Amino acid sequence: MTAPLTPPPPPHEPSPQGAWPPPPGGYVEVAAAPQDASYGQDGPGMKTELREAAVVTVVVAVAGALLGALWRWLAPSVPLVGDVVNGAWVVYLKDTEGEQAVGVDGTFTLLALGFGAVSAGCVFAWRRRGGVPLVVALMVGGLLGSVLAWRLGVWLGPGSDVIAQAKAAGKGVTFSAPLKLGAKGALLAWSFAALLVHLGLTALFGPRDPDPYGQGPVPKDSYGAPLA
């Protein structure tokens, strides 16, 4: 008996383009992209961000002293007048239709908005990136700075004992009322301004995340070789 004359199948040969033909079944094995070694590791990076956030919180909060001094200097004074009624001193507003009290709150709010924008711009210029710790630090520091400015401005302003001031000024003599922040919501102006400005700067000028797939899929021919 003789062996069959059918020749064995030829071995796989590379295509003219230099690529091996795809294996049977039409599936092409794709090598997995190497993972970023730093992804998911929040050791030194997270510690650095927390230290920077702590520094930002302290610096922004201390800047509230400057806000308080400016508020005391720029806020309009509320005129009061003292009088003696039935042997007792009474104090009342000299101008009952005046808007000085509204101006006091408005001055604080505008100054706080300006401080929030400036602090956010300085932090972004320092780090040139966003991040949750920095945003939280700006908001917390802005709130602490606003509270410090409020209390410092009240302390630097006229005393809270209006009866003693009326007696010292004399009957019918105008004197300034204690500095008072009527709208407590103004304490949040610094934080919200810093948040919005920092997020806006990060969206416009912050670094962009790299494309994890490079320049996109490369077109290939029927053998799996990249086209020239």
Side-chain angles (χ1 to χ4, degrees), residues 73-110:
W73 179 39
L74 298 176
S77 60
V78 180
L80 299 178
V81 174
D83 197 0
V84 179
V85 178
N86 297 328
W89 280 89
V90 294
V91 177
Y92 55 91
L93 290 172
K94 182 179 181 180
D95 185 5
T96 56
E97 297 182 357
E99 298 181 354
Q100 291 86 351
V102 178
V104 172
D105 294 345
T107 301
F108 186 94
T109 303
L110 292 177

Side-chain angles (χ1 to χ4, degrees), residues 12-204:
H12 292 288
E13 295 182 358
S15 62
Q17 289 81 5
W20 290 90
Y27 296 99
V28 179
E29 184 179 359
V30 180
Q35 275 190 329
D36 186 2
S38 62
Y39 180 77
Q41 297 180 358
D42 56 353
M46 181 57 67
K47 291 180 181 178
T48 301
E49 289 187 359
L50 292 178
R51 284 196 298 266
E52 293 174 351
V55 173
V56 170
T57 302
V58 173
V59 172
V60 173
V62 172
L66 179 59
L67 173 59
L70 289 176
W71 180 47
R72 170 66 184 92
W73 179 39
L74 298 176
S77 60
V78 180
L80 299 178
V81 174
D83 197 0
V84 179
V85 178
N86 297 328
W89 280 89
V90 294
V91 177
Y92 55 91
L93 290 172
K94 182 179 181 180
D95 185 5
T96 56
E97 297 182 357
E99 298 181 354
Q100 291 86 351
V102 178
V104 172
D105 294 345
T107 301
F108 186 94
T109 303
L110 292 177
L111 288 173
L113 291 175
F115 271 69
V118 172
S119 60
C122 292
V123 171
F124 181 79
W126 174 44
R127 297 308 302 155
R128 301 295 296 179
R129 61 173 173 79
V132 175
L134 287 180
V135 174
V136 173
L138 280 172
M139 296 189 67
V140 174
L143 180 59
L144 296 177
S146 297
V147 174
L148 175 61
W150 168 41
R151 300 312 304 169
L152 180 63
V154 171
W155 180 72
L156 293 176
S160 58
D161 191 351
V162 293
I163 298 298
Q165 292 188 63
K167 293 179 180 180
K171 180 179 178 181
V173 179
T174 303
F175 62 95
S176 297
L179 198 59
K180 180 181 178 181
L181 185 63
K184 297 301 188 294
L187 297 174
L188 301 176
W190 188 333
S191 298
F192 279 109
L195 172 65
L196 294 178
V197 172
H198 191 269
L199 290 180
L201 291 175
T202 303
L204 292 175

